[in-house]
Amino acid sequence: DIQMTQSPSSLSASVGDRVTVTCRASQSITNYLHWYQQKPGKAPKLLISAASSLQSGVPSRFSGSGSGTDFALTISSLQPEDFATYYCLQSYITPFTFGPGTKVDIK
Amino acid sequence: QLQLQESGSRLVKPSQTLSLTCAVSGGSISSGLYSWSWVRQPPGKVLEWIGYFYSGTTYYTPSLKSRVTFSVDKSKNHFSLRLTSVTAADTAVYYCTRGDCTTGVCPLDYWGQGALVTVSS
């Protein structure tokens, strides 16, 4: 199985901060990497697919980058509604695997 | 707008079988452009992909393969999950999802609201 790691596991930030979350795969997954936002009691929401494609309706302050084994999700200016847990998912090889998540909370 | 809705037993006794159904509206599960997956999340823990069916193929994650079965009813536009011999470790929120394979990378783009299934006597 491909192992996905994320860092940091949690971070505290203020509204307006620039935030970056990273995701690393145990082997190359080319661009088969997707980012999700999950709020308590809700289903994950797809933000970015194929490493860098912003989903329709997702604010442009979210961006994704990377390929191969190293990826990043950046929020350019953190907004109050962005406090949540962020997960990466690889769909390159079955079984698909998620990262352990990064919780972003208010400083 | 595509919608997915899980239904089924929310309380299951240990050693019994967990059964959930995902009703899909606003789109057809017969389309070969999409995959249909189950994902679970134990309370306070991370997401785990259980498996999918896609283009005539069904795949189960190895850790659950001996206990899980997917089925599809195209006439009702729904698909189902059965997990046998459950234990407390199977207590989780179970999500049904769609994978958009139109570009090949298959992100899970639509999710049901989730169904909390508790395994307890």
Side-chain angles (χ1 to χ4, degrees):
Chain A
D1 299 3
I2 295 178
Q3 307 303 315
M4 306 300 292
T5 57
Q6 285 183 236
S7 62
S9 56
S10 65
L11 66 90
S12 294
S14 300
V15 172
D17 284 354
R18 180 182 181 89
V19 168
T20 297
V21 176
T22 63
C23 178
R24 174 168 287 177
S26 59
Q27 66 183 76
S28 177
I29 56 172
T30 66
N31 69 331
Y32 286 61
L33 187 285
H34 321 295
W35 288 100
Y36 294 84
Q37 176 193 69
Q38 187 179 35
K39 296 182 178 180
K42 300 294 186 181
K45 173 187 175 182
L46 178 64
L47 300 175
I48 289 170
S49 64
S52 60
S53 295
L54 192 68
Q55 294 303 290
S56 175
V58 175
S60 59
R61 62 181 179 273
F62 290 93
S63 63
S65 62
S67 66
T69 60
D70 294 304
F71 303 87
L73 170 71
T74 299
I75 308 171
S76 60
S77 177
L78 198 65
Q79 298 302 300
E81 59 268 31
D82 301 336
F83 292 98
T85 300
Y86 294 85
Y87 294 94
C88 57
L89 166 70
Q90 70 81 17
S91 61
Y92 185 66
I93 290 177
T94 53
F96 296 171
T97 44
F98 290 90
T102 296
K103 185 175 181 181
V104 177
D105 61 21
I106 301 172
K107 182 182 288 183
Chain B
Q1 178 79 344
L2 190 78
Q3 291 188 324
L4 295 85
Q5 177 69 57
E6 303 91 348
S7 63
S9 299
R10 305 304 176 93
L11 180 63
V12 183
K13 290 182 167 52
S15 80
Q16 295 193 344
T17 296
L18 179 159
S19 295
L20 291 172
T21 293
C22 181
V24 179
S25 58
S28 172
I29 64 170
S30 299
S31 171
L33 297 174
Y34 303 103
S35 65
W36 304 92
S37 293
W38 289 96
V39 174
R40 71 179 183 176
Q41 186 173 35
K45 297 188 179 180
V46 300
L47 297 156
E48 178 184 24
W49 183 75
I50 298 171
Y52 71 7
F53 67 91
Y54 171 49
S55 194
T57 299
T58 302
Y59 180 90
Y60 306 124
T61 197
S63 62
L64 296 174
K65 185 176 181 180
S66 64
R67 299 194 291 129
V68 68
T69 305
F70 293 169
S71 60
V72 180
D73 188 332
K74 294 182 179 180
S75 67
K76 294 182 179 178
N77 213 39
H78 73 207
F79 60 104
S80 300
L81 164 72
R82 290 183 76 249
L83 183 66
T84 61
S85 305
V86 297
T87 69
D90 296 309
T91 293
V93 176
Y94 287 77
Y95 296 100
C96 56
T97 77
R98 186 189 82 166
D100 179 1
C101 300
T102 55
T103 59
V105 293
C106 298
L108 306 183
D109 61 347
Y110 282 90
W111 295 61
Q113 65 184 25
L116 173 60
V117 179
T118 302
V119 178
S120 175
S121 55

